[in-house]
Amino acid sequence: MKVIALPVTEERVREVRTALELADNALNELLHRAVVESRASRTRLTASPAGRLHARAAAAYLEAVAIVLDKPGVDLELAAMLDAGEFGIRRLAAVARDWCPEDPDEPKAA
């Protein structure tokens, strides 16, 4: 693969930082809403219409996170974390940013 080197200017650095800040704001807001909905679904009976509604809303927010980050599958990882009781926005955001799908062709470490 050929790497293209772009000149790094102060203006370009500002543009990248602004884009990252906007993405972080959107990510944090979506994760906050997903946590709220997930916790609301836990406080109600899971089989009740309200519990299912909150669970679907949490899943929709997590899907939006996957779309914003352009990382298909990260929503499933975050949903598993929410199901395990991890509600920290910073922790969820860090996992979402660092997450990368497993390559099925790559050998697994023993």
Side-chain angles (χ1 to χ4, degrees), residues 39-95:
R39 292 182 79 169
S41 73
R42 288 171 165 247
T43 60
R44 288 158 177 79
L45 294 174
T46 3
S48 72
R52 289 193 308 262
L53 176 70
H54 287 295
R56 284 194 305 263
Y61 284 125
L62 293 178
E63 189 175 336
V65 167
I67 291 169
V68 166
L69 293 178
D70 194 26
K71 293 183 177 184
V74 74
D75 52 335
L76 302 175
E77 180 71 24
L78 294 173
M81 290 180 69
L82 288 175
D83 289 343
E86 178 64 54
F87 297 119
I89 303 294
R90 288 182 182 165
R91 174 79 177 121
L92 292 169
V95 168

Side-chain angles (χ1 to χ4, degrees), residues 28-40:
N28 288 340
E29 183 63 28
L30 289 169
L31 286 173
H32 173 73
R33 290 175 185 231
V35 166
V36 168
E37 293 294 338
S38 177
R39 292 182 79 169

